[in-house]
Amino acid sequence: MKKFLVTTLIFAATATTAHAGLKVVGRGDAMRLDPTSYPPAMKANYDIMRAKCVKCHTLERTIVAIQTGVAPISGQPFDRSATKAYGIKMLRKPDSNMSKPEVKATVDLMNYLLSEAGQ
């Protein structure tokens, strides 16, 4: 029994969580999502995210938040209410150059991705 418990703990400590709906390509600053399986509207929203959001930060920050359910910098929960709050924050940032429809598209995409990731 002790051997089973130790083996289980080692496996749990080294296993990575797989998110069937989130196909991630690359690592670190080059991390991005593979949107090939997304519905057409979400593919278009992803194009907006890739064009607008990376002006200020990498997609890694967003992907990690979606995968873990925790915002990497603040440590706060990253859920549907957080995506809305971040959308409002980005809309108010003068350097974001994001319109209301672009922010809505990005928030819709993040909510879709949270659903796909089981968050």
Side-chain angles (χ1 to χ4, degrees), residues 13-65:
T14 59
T16 58
T17 305
H19 300 286
L22 295 182
K23 295 179 185 171
V24 178
V25 178
R27 293 183 156 203
D29 291 349
M31 185 182 287
R32 59 184 168 73
L33 295 166
D34 176 5
T36 54
S37 65
Y38 297 174
M42 292 302 126
K43 285 180 183 178
N45 293 357
Y46 182 66
D47 290 340
I48 293 168
M49 178 186 275
R50 282 195 52 196
K52 296 290 184 164
C53 298
V54 298
K55 289 181 180 179
C56 298
H57 58 82
T58 66
L59 284 180
E60 178 188 25
R61 184 186 302 177
T62 305
I63 293 168
V64 168

Side-chain angles (χ1 to χ4, degrees), residues 1 8 15-16 18 30 34 53 57 62-63 83 86 91-92 96 111:
M1 181 67 172
T8 303
T16 58
D34 176 5
C53 298
H57 58 82
T62 305
I63 293 168
T83 62
Y86 280 109
L91 189 59
R92 292 180 179 163
S96 75
N111 288 335

